[in-house]
Amino acid sequence: MNLSQSQYNCIGILAKHCDLSKLCVAENEASNFDLSELFCDFWMEIESIANEVEVYIADPELPEPENYTEKTFLLNGGVYLDCSEKQRPFEGVYKIMAYYSYARYIVLNGFNDTATGMVTKTNEFSIPKTLKELESFADKYRTMGKISFERTVRYICQNSEIFDYSHCPKDKCGCGSEKCGTTKAKG
């Protein structure tokens, strides 16, 4: 699952000339090491849902996928009614991926591969941030991604008749299993 550059709008400071190859690496790492750990066994289902929605968007002549509205909300975010019938916003999978990818991109972008090894990018007109500062900044985005994940899981659990996420509590309320929803991967 790859995001478009516009899906990073209002997430972080992505320069118009951002290094797309490094962003691609960051997305791949976020998918394989952050989101797959957060969503556990449901991550493969999410990738399947994203593919199903993307195929339909590309060819609207196809029959609309079952539960299309709920699936697009899962990906793009929206508002749902919680257990106490209150409206709750959630960011959706694409926003979660953008937060985690951007956190990884922050660290990756400061380095370049050369024939003699990895180097820190510098030039005479700027002073690079220290790795510690970059890691701190990246952690901020990882934290926002985790909060977005928790909100999105609540949406998934409220729609457990549609989404087969095994870590939802039986009554659809609450936060779910402690064993799932963690990531140890750092940028």
Side-chain angles (χ1 to χ4, degrees), residues 54-131:
E54 288 170 12
V55 166
Y56 177 71
I57 289 171
D59 186 2
E61 296 296 318
L62 294 171
E64 184 176 280
E66 187 177 357
N67 301 310
Y68 179 72
T69 301
E70 291 82 1
K71 289 176 178 178
T72 57
F73 274 19
L74 170 67
L75 298 173
N76 299 310
V79 176
Y80 70 97
L81 294 177
D82 70 6
C83 294
S84 59
E85 298 296 315
K86 292 183 181 174
Q87 287 192 337
R88 300 284 182 203
F90 68 102
E91 289 79 11
V93 173
Y94 289 150
K95 188 79 75 169
I96 298 166
M97 184 146 174
Y99 281 125
Y100 278 96
S101 299
Y102 186 66
R104 288 180 172 276
Y105 177 80
I106 288 168
V107 176
L108 280 173
N109 194 40
F111 301 94
N112 280 335
D113 183 27
T114 70
T116 57
M118 295 293 282
V119 297
T120 302
K121 293 192 314 188
T122 61
N123 66 46
E124 59 189 274
F125 302 110
S126 63
I127 300 169
K129 294 283 187 193
T130 66
L131 182 56

Side-chain angles (χ1 to χ4, degrees), residues 21-34:
S21 64
K22 289 180 184 178
L23 187 58
C24 181
V25 169
E27 284 180 3
N28 186 48
E29 288 179 2
S31 175
N32 291 326
F33 299 105
D34 294 319

